[in-house]
Amino acid sequence: MSERPTLLARLMKLLGFLVLATALLAMAFHAPDRPLESLLSRWAEAPSDFIELPMAGGQIQLVHLRDEGPRDDAAPIVLLHGTAASLHTWAGWVSELKTERRVITLDLPGFGLTGPSVVGDYSDEAYDRFLKAFLAHLKLQRVVLGGNSLGGGIAWGYAARHPEQVAALVLVDAGNLAVASASVPAGFRVPQSAVLRALARNFLPRPLVERSIKAVYGDPSKVSAALVDRYFELTLREGNREALAQRLAQRTPGRFADLLPRIQAPTLILWGGQDRLIPPEAGRIFQQQIPRSRLELFPSLGHVPQEEDPLSTVRPVQAFLHSL
């Protein structure tokens, strides 16, 4: 008879420990949305700017952008970031390119300081319409268009649909092909679970963000605390977590692959040899399908080579631009 109270006491102690541990984890990882204003001082330093972009139906999309370099450039460079990233991913490239060229970077709807889409649509067609409106608003008739991952998918789709506007195309580990991933960052899997998606509205473990970034770098040791801070804090921008879930749900890889042969612009394709999210096989498909294209691999780099090693990866871009 004496064993039952002892067993019950142990169970109650274990239950108490689990409740306490859950409470401590909840306190540690509680991360509510942050209003835009609270992020501006750190992530919208000069030359950041915001425009109010008219969209279909009369709605206005606030867009965070940076417009640098000489304004007399006949074909400015417009660079589009990837999923869960921001315009900051191009900072190393911009510092090198802006001495000779006008370079425009922006946060796409759903990400960075731009925040959620006002039309609530994150399909490929919606991003195409957004980019067309953005270029028209800035009165850019012809551009050099570049993009990484999601941004690369938007860029090549736009170049195929609007060839008169794209003077040249730069694809960096570009998305939107039906190519299987060797590895998917943990943070990308959260929106696929209804339970985790509900928890993610109020909780975001910083270690999860760090692990997700390291998963897309060829050399994880290059991932600094400051870099993790940027991804972590911009993910917390009000509405971005729900927007990410919607974007991932609306992806249709490979749907527009038949557009690739329509691309008329000279195309430079750059790829990280250690990219496990979109393996180099995709780069070779782009090279085969896009008529005037060439591929350059960086064996030691991962999915975001422009961020991991900006100096090495911008050199072929500069040579490509000079050859046009």
Side-chain angles (χ1 to χ4, degrees):
M1 295 293 293
S2 61
E3 291 184 6
R4 289 189 62 191
T6 302
L7 179 59
L8 180 61
R10 288 177 178 173
L11 288 173
M12 292 301 293
K13 181 182 288 189
L14 177 60
L15 179 61
F17 173 78
L18 290 174
V19 170
L20 177 60
T22 302
L24 290 173
L25 285 172
M27 291 173 61
F29 297 137
H30 184 238
D33 277 352
R34 296 187 185 179
L36 173 62
E37 294 74 17
S38 69
L39 299 168
L40 295 179
S41 61
R42 187 171 188 185
W43 305 116
E45 67 274 20
S48 278
D49 196 6
F50 289 85
I51 61 171
E52 294 183 344
L53 182 64
M55 300 297 292
Q59 299 189 75
I60 301 297
Q61 177 74 59
L62 186 72
V63 181
H64 175 223
L65 77 156
R66 291 180 179 174
D67 190 344
E68 305 175 68
R71 294 307 179 95
D72 60 351
D73 193 336
I77 302 168
V78 177
L79 299 173
L80 309 176
H81 64 77
T83 299
S86 63
L87 59 75
H88 304 85
T89 194
W90 300 108
W93 275 26
V94 174
S95 66
E96 296 296 313
L97 295 171
K98 69 181 181 180
T99 58
E100 296 182 351
R101 302 295 299 265
R102 182 181 178 186
V103 188
I104 299 164
T105 54
L106 63 144
D107 289 344
L108 293 165
F111 307 104
L113 297 178
T114 290
S117 164
V118 293
V119 297
D121 189 349
Y122 300 95
S123 65
D124 298 320
E125 297 92 332
Y127 278 119
D128 190 88
R129 292 191 293 270
F130 164 80
L131 182 56
K132 188 172 181 63
F134 178 80
L135 297 179
H137 187 82
L138 295 184
K139 297 181 173 57
L140 302 178
Q141 297 180 348
R142 196 160 170 81
V143 299
V144 173
L145 191 57
N148 169 237
S149 195
L150 163 66
I154 296 169
W156 70 254
Y158 196 88
R161 296 184 185 96
H162 313 280
E164 73 286 351
Q165 284 190 269
V166 181
L169 184 63
V170 179
L171 302 180
V172 185
D173 296 66
N176 239 2
L177 288 184
V179 177
S181 299
S183 175
V184 177
F188 281 29
R189 294 194 291 268
V190 169
Q192 298 172 11
S193 163
V195 174
L196 293 177
R197 182 171 168 177
L199 289 172
R201 294 191 184 103
N202 293 291
F203 298 94
L204 184 64
R206 191 176 182 280
L208 176 67
V209 176
E210 181 176 4
R211 191 160 67 250
S212 296
I213 301 169
K214 287 183 174 180
V216 296
Y217 266 58
D219 180 359
S221 70
K222 292 182 179 179
V223 176
S224 65
L227 182 67
V228 177
D229 282 347
R230 187 182 82 211
Y231 277 90
F232 178 70
E233 293 186 15
L234 292 179
T235 299
L236 295 180
R237 193 263 196 232
E238 192 172 15
N240 276 359
R241 280 176 282 188
E242 182 58 30
L244 173 60
Q246 292 183 43
R247 166 56 196 171
L248 293 177
Q250 294 178 38
R251 291 176 65 249
T252 54
R255 180 182 169 196
F256 300 108
D258 61 341
L259 294 179
L260 288 170
R262 295 192 201 176
I263 295 173
Q264 300 175 17
T267 302
L268 175 65
I269 304 163
L270 305 179
W271 223 272
Q274 300 302 313
D275 188 347
R276 295 185 297 162
L277 181 60
I278 309 180
E281 174 195 348
R284 288 185 276 271
I285 294 173
F286 281 122
Q287 183 186 28
Q288 293 164 5
Q289 294 294 315
I290 299 175
R292 302 167 61 192
S293 66
R294 67 178 182 88
L295 171 65
E296 182 158 346
L297 289 174
F298 296 88
S300 65
L301 301 181
H303 182 62
V304 284
Q306 82 286 352
E307 183 177 280
E308 186 174 356
D309 189 349
L311 290 180
S312 293
T313 53
V314 78
R315 298 300 178 225
V317 177
Q318 292 171 314
F320 173 66
L321 294 174
H322 285 143
S323 73
L324 297 176

